[in-house]
Amino acid sequence: MSSHRPAAHPSRELLSAYASGWIAWSAGLCVRVHLDACSECRDAVATLEAAEEPFIDQLPEAPLPEDAVSALLVKLQSTPVETREPKAVGDVQLPGAMAHVRVASRRWIAPGFWVAHLPEGRQEGWRTYILRAPPGARLPMHGHGGPELVCVLSGAFRDRRRYGPGDFVEMPGGSDHSLVIDSQGPCACLIASKGAIQWKGAAKLLKSALSV
């Protein structure tokens, strides 16, 4: 991500869910990508995790199989050490938080406009994908049957206000919006949405591409 300092952040409720581990994989990935760029939210998560520790310590101990420790050591010794190096999808550089995430092949919607789904993110009713749009593009007005989380990977877009790299947008279910990409360059976002997308205009290409 760029040196842009994020100015839009996940809600306290979402950070709490992330810190406690009670969060869907898709939502957790979006939060983790934001944390890569935001020291303010990293500090908030660290504080929330520290607050959880006394409750964890009070949980009753669960018995482990006799060979649990030895089996874990064998697994650790046989697992190759992987480095967290960013990778790219097309011209979109992915942050370290996505270094080991599988990304499907890009589906082109229009020149400079594509979507790439994350197979692991299709669970619990969620759909997770990278959306890349060219400068000046406008996404048609649409609504959501459930929440939508957007983390900007590169570039910027406007939706009532301007969002740049690392910024996080939380849209509740039932809300409508339309995004306009900055004219200065393309924009790529990591998006996790739950429930059906309700397109308000003629957007058959988008509907087809995002429904996978």
Side-chain angles (χ1 to χ4, degrees), residues 11-209:
S11 64
R12 184 77 174 182
E13 291 75 17
L14 196 58
L15 289 178
S16 295
Y18 179 86
S20 65
W22 292 96
I23 192 169
W25 185 92
S26 299
L29 178 64
C30 285
V31 173
R32 191 159 66 248
V33 169
H34 172 76
L35 295 179
D36 257 10
C38 183
S39 59
E40 178 182 334
C41 286
R42 287 197 301 271
D43 290 343
V45 167
T47 300
L48 290 165
E49 288 175 339
E52 290 280 339
E53 289 181 4
F55 298 100
I56 295 175
D57 292 340
Q58 294 173 15
L59 293 174
E61 293 185 4
L64 290 174
E66 293 183 2
D67 63 343
V69 175
S70 57
L72 177 60
L73 290 173
V74 170
K75 184 175 181 179
L76 290 173
Q77 291 171 354
S78 61
T79 302
V81 177
E82 297 182 349
T83 57
R84 288 171 54 84
E85 293 294 334
K87 57 184 178 181
V89 179
D91 61 352
V92 177
Q93 192 74 19
L94 303 185
M98 296 181 68
H100 304 309
V101 174
R102 291 188 299 123
V103 181
S105 299
R106 291 176 288 169
R107 298 187 64 186
W108 292 89
I109 302 168
F113 204 149
W114 54 257
V115 61
H117 289 263
L118 278 58
E120 292 171 272
R122 194 172 177 82
Q123 52 185 275
E124 300 178 32
W126 287 88
R127 184 179 294 108
T128 313
Y129 51 93
I130 299 166
L131 182 66
R132 192 268 196 198
R138 179 187 293 270
L139 273 70
M141 181 67 69
H142 61 282
H144 301 274
E148 180 188 55
L149 308 177
V150 180
C151 188
V152 183
L153 300 176
S154 60
F157 70 85
R158 185 168 294 279
D159 177 21
R160 301 179 182 88
R161 53 163 289 185
R162 186 179 185 276
Y163 296 95
D167 281 337
F168 195 95
V169 187
E170 236 176 298
M171 297 292 295
S175 57
D176 296 344
H177 66 153
S178 175
L179 314 181
V180 180
I181 308 303
D182 265 13
S183 59
Q184 300 170 347
C187 178
C189 297
L190 174 66
I191 302 175
S193 62
K194 190 172 185 180
I197 300 176
Q198 296 126 16
W199 296 103
K200 305 298 181 178
K204 294 181 179 179
L205 286 174
L206 276 171
K207 182 177 181 181
S208 174

